[in-house]
Amino acid sequence: MKRIIMMVLRNLIFVPYGWIKLCWYASHVDRYTEEQRYAVLKMIDRRANWGGKIDVQAHGVENIPKENGFIFYPNHQGLYDVLAILEVCPVPFSVVAKKEVADVPFLKQVFACMKAYIIDREDIKQSLQVILNVIKEVKAGRNYLIFAEGTRSKAGNHTLEFKGGSFKAATKSKCPIVPVALIDTYKAFDTGSIQKLTVQVHILPPMYYEEYKDMNTVEIAAEVRRRIDETIAANTQD
């Protein structure tokens, strides 16, 4: 919360303009292309990171597939995670977010601009429909981000189990799976610190369908987690 306040205070002149523009785009998503909406989000995200004294170090951006229609699978450390990836990713993507964060101010408008899907994990029918919608859109060339842990880890740079069911959207659409290792993103909003912060976003080489077609979703989940854990271990002192 302290860092969010600092983001606002250091951007006092920009905040009214940025907030009005974000809310307008969020309320009129069909008037703008995905690229236009994404450009607005990146502009606001850059200002927020500057205000919050957050330096996002990007690694492996060249691993992002050249053709759209892929799914990012990052580890989940906190509310800041999507904003970190948004800072470094040059192509638009949307997210599947849990309903518990759907009404968080600012994130709510960001999700609206992304045309994100909100999933209710307690409602099996609704969850299935979200997955079917994502499959359809990925096949049509949209990119998505799904947190396979299902909830954020409370152990910093240590991941939780990746759930196999989170990979059904990828296996059914036969799309590239792009593991993403996030390092220290939990420190942005979850520690109470307002010291200058460096976070790392490592975009790993994608797993294409030919690589995972003979694996079940539990095996895919374990492999994606293994690659992320190895990257985190190689780039931290934890």
Side-chain angles (χ1 to χ4, degrees):
M1 180 60 70
K2 290 180 181 178
R3 194 178 299 274
I4 295 174
I5 293 173
M6 183 169 70
M7 286 176 171
V8 173
L9 292 177
R10 297 190 73 214
N11 279 296
L12 270 181
I13 296 176
F14 172 78
V15 164
Y17 166 78
W19 178 247
I20 290 171
K21 189 160 189 172
L22 176 62
C23 290
W24 174 264
Y25 273 68
S27 300
H28 303 85
V29 289
D30 292 327
R31 294 190 183 185
Y32 304 95
T33 66
E34 187 162 46
E35 288 73 20
Q36 288 173 322
R37 288 183 273 112
Y38 193 68
V40 169
L41 292 178
K42 284 185 73 70
M43 178 265 293
I44 293 172
D45 190 36
R46 285 193 295 269
R47 291 300 296 258
N49 286 329
W50 173 83
K53 295 183 179 180
I54 302 174
D55 176 32
V56 183
Q57 293 186 348
H59 304 267
V61 175
E62 68 278 4
N63 290 323
I64 296 175
K66 299 299 184 289
E67 294 186 7
N68 288 324
F70 59 82
I71 302 178
F72 285 128
Y73 282 95
N75 55 309
H76 195 10
Q77 296 193 356
L79 292 175
Y80 179 72
D81 294 348
V82 172
L83 301 181
I85 298 172
L86 180 64
E87 167 81 15
V88 307
C89 183
V91 295
F93 66 91
S94 188
V95 302
V96 176
K98 59 185 180 179
K99 70 172 186 177
E100 289 81 358
V101 299
D103 291 322
V104 174
F106 182 67
L107 286 182
K108 178 180 180 179
Q109 286 73 28
V110 169
F111 291 153
C113 279
M114 288 180 156
K115 287 192 174 182
Y117 282 109
I118 306 302
I119 194 167
D120 182 353
R121 293 173 297 178
E122 303 299 319
D123 187 333
I124 296 177
K125 183 177 180 180
Q126 189 268 354
S127 298
L128 177 59
Q129 187 59 55
V130 166
I131 297 303
L132 291 175
N133 291 341
V134 170
I135 292 170
K136 180 179 179 180
E137 293 193 8
V138 170
K139 285 182 175 180
R142 288 197 85 205
N143 309 314
Y144 268 86
L145 181 154
I146 296 176
F147 290 111
E149 289 162 285
T151 189
R152 57 186 175 180
S153 171
K154 297 298 178 65
N157 289 316
H158 300 279
T159 64
L160 301 176
E161 178 186 2
F162 279 38
K163 295 176 171 57
S166 300
F167 291 86
K168 288 182 179 179
T171 58
K172 295 297 183 183
S173 59
K174 300 181 180 180
C175 74
I177 291 170
V178 186
V180 181
L182 300 177
I183 297 175
D184 290 339
T185 53
Y186 72 96
K187 295 179 180 179
F189 295 155
D190 295 278
T191 63
S193 172
I194 57 173
Q195 297 298 313
K196 186 175 181 179
L197 173 65
T198 297
V199 304
Q200 300 177 47
V201 178
H202 294 260
I203 299 172
L204 308 184
M207 294 174 62
Y208 289 97
Y209 181 66
E210 286 300 313
E211 180 179 353
Y212 68 76
K213 67 179 182 179
D214 295 323
M215 302 166 66
N216 62 43
T217 55
V218 173
E219 292 170 334
I220 295 171
E223 176 61 17
V224 170
R225 183 187 183 187
R226 183 191 67 78
R227 296 183 186 192
I228 290 173
D229 282 342
E230 283 188 354
T231 302
I232 292 174
N235 291 278
T236 63
Q237 301 299 318
D238 291 2

